[in-house]
Amino acid sequence: MNLVRPLRTTAVPALLTVSALVALSACGTSEADSAAGGSKATVTVRIPDPGNSGVLALGKKDGSLDKALSKAGAKVRWTGSAGPFAPAAQAMNADQLDVATGSITSGITSLAQRPGFSFFTAVAPDAAGEGILVRNGSGIGSVGDLVGKKVAVNQGGTGEYLLLKALAKAGIPADEVTRVYLRPDQTAAVFNAGKVDAWAVWATYAVAEIGSGKAHFVADGAAIGSDNYSLNAVRTEFAEQHPKVVKALYQYLHEASAKEKQNPSAYLNVFTDVGPTAVTGRAEEVQNEFTAKGGTIDPIGPEDIERFKAVAAFYAEQKVTRTEVDVTPHLLDVRKLT
């Protein structure tokens, strides 16, 4: 899990080819595909603003992302800001966004609606950076100690999955722990005020809490046995219209994620090292440790698909979704794009 996964070269018949994607509608609104006289216009890729850290942040600052995409006749338009996948999925469905990042867990609940997007990359589950967070001195020393307690989770996403998965592995019925549904960006204050006993969370929010020296994971992703992949999604019609752009974006993300894993600090505090978006002190050390142990952005392979299916089955079993969501029709083989 901690090693860089090699770029896969075997074919994946279960994934969509470009010709198998949803047919284009006449009202697609991506920036013009052709200009006067039949010449190609620059394609605009709408991506949420990446903030102050990560491969997209550095790609925005140094212009390397636009340079890479220009070879496929494209450029980025940064729109809004990165956040939970559910609203991003809605924005893609409404043709307001072309690319977004999320987890397979939040992806499955979004696919249970009327999806207009496909997943085209996968990052292996974060064994170190996600888990069940508890305050130091809370008296909670194991997952079993959560019985009768309140745990903050984001509904239908990573948090709810991590908690349910941890309880199932420990043989604890889900109804013996109270799930408190909160938005991740609103949970830290509630957690630190002691209004919940634990927080099922991932690195984006866990780093600050662990870095403060006041909290720790009672069970991390490895202990839980998490299958919670991080994925990149693309608006289906955009992928049909601009397969070369999607492939160029994937290649950039893959190469940059390998560099980030080798040198995490170069991808932190990209625009500023002060203020609320900066990661400093012990939190910076924690983030660098998590990144170094994490995976790279790779194509979706057959072994990944089986684990996606396991999450979908688990969500149906736990009644997070009404039925088992079929993920495979919404997976794109990025290596076949031409």
Side-chain angles (χ1 to χ4, degrees):
M1 187 76 69
N2 296 339
L3 299 177
V4 176
R5 293 192 295 169
L7 183 61
R8 299 183 183 90
T9 56
T10 55
V12 187
L15 299 187
L16 296 177
T17 61
V18 176
S19 60
L21 290 171
V22 176
L24 292 177
S25 69
C27 58
T29 58
S30 288
E31 206 158 294
D33 298 319
S34 60
S39 61
K40 291 288 185 180
T42 300
V43 175
T44 296
V45 189
R46 297 167 296 180
I47 303 176
D49 190 278
N52 195 31
S53 299
V55 297
L56 288 178
L58 189 58
K60 177 184 179 181
K61 182 179 181 180
D62 65 12
S64 59
L65 178 56
D66 269 332
K67 183 178 179 180
L69 292 181
S70 69
K71 297 175 182 178
K75 65 179 181 180
V76 176
R77 185 202 304 164
W78 303 105
T79 63
S81 59
F85 183 70
Q90 293 173 356
M92 284 188 287
N93 292 344
D95 191 14
Q96 298 170 348
L97 193 65
D98 297 312
V99 174
T101 302
S103 63
I104 185 58
T105 48
S106 58
I108 285 171
T109 51
S110 294
L111 287 174
Q113 310 303 316
R114 297 178 61 185
F117 60 88
S118 302
F119 294 112
F120 69 102
T121 74
V123 179
D126 188 354
E130 64 180 15
I132 312 298
L133 197 69
V134 298
R135 293 181 301 279
N136 295 348
S138 66
I140 299 173
S142 69
V143 172
D145 293 333
L146 296 175
V147 171
K149 301 291 196 301
K150 297 178 181 179
V151 182
V153 302
N154 59 313
Q155 188 170 14
T158 293
E160 187 162 29
Y161 169 78
L162 291 172
L163 175 61
L164 291 173
K165 187 76 172 177
L167 294 176
K169 187 172 183 180
I172 300 169
D175 60 5
E176 292 191 11
V177 175
T178 300
R179 279 169 269 175
V180 179
Y181 293 123
L182 293 170
R183 275 176 33 189
D185 59 353
Q186 297 177 333
T187 307
V190 177
F191 174 72
N192 286 305
K195 295 180 180 179
V196 293
D197 302 290
W199 182 7
V201 66
W202 59 101
T204 301
Y205 301 97
V207 165
E209 303 305 320
I210 295 172
S212 72
K214 298 179 181 179
H216 64 278
F217 283 138
V218 71
D220 60 14
I224 291 169
S226 172
D227 283 322
N228 185 40
Y229 281 75
S230 175
L231 307 174
N232 278 300
V234 60
R235 188 169 59 84
T236 303
E237 289 184 357
F238 184 93
E240 176 74 18
Q241 290 176 312
H242 310 295
K244 291 182 179 179
V245 176
V246 178
K247 191 166 188 175
L249 176 59
Y250 156 71
Q251 194 62 46
Y252 179 86
L253 293 172
H254 173 73
E255 293 173 1
S257 68
K259 294 176 183 176
E260 182 186 30
K261 182 178 171 68
Q262 294 300 316
N263 185 20
S265 61
Y267 294 81
L268 277 181
N269 303 324
V270 171
F271 290 98
T272 179
D273 57 5
V274 296
T277 64
V279 182
T280 59
R282 174 57 184 153
E284 183 174 2
E285 296 174 9
V286 171
Q287 181 62 73
N288 287 338
E289 290 169 6
F290 287 168
T291 301
K293 293 177 181 178
T296 56
I297 297 173
D298 292 338
I300 297 170
E303 68 275 25
D304 306 320
I305 298 172
E306 291 307 308
R307 294 174 75 177
F308 297 171
K309 290 179 179 178
V311 176
F314 181 73
Y315 259 21
E317 175 189 319
Q318 296 289 326
K319 302 187 181 344
V320 176
T321 56
R322 287 183 294 178
T323 60
E324 186 173 333
V325 175
D326 186 3
V327 179
T328 53
H330 309 284
L331 303 178
L332 177 63
D333 190 344
V334 71
R335 294 161 298 184
K336 294 183 178 179
L337 299 183
T338 57

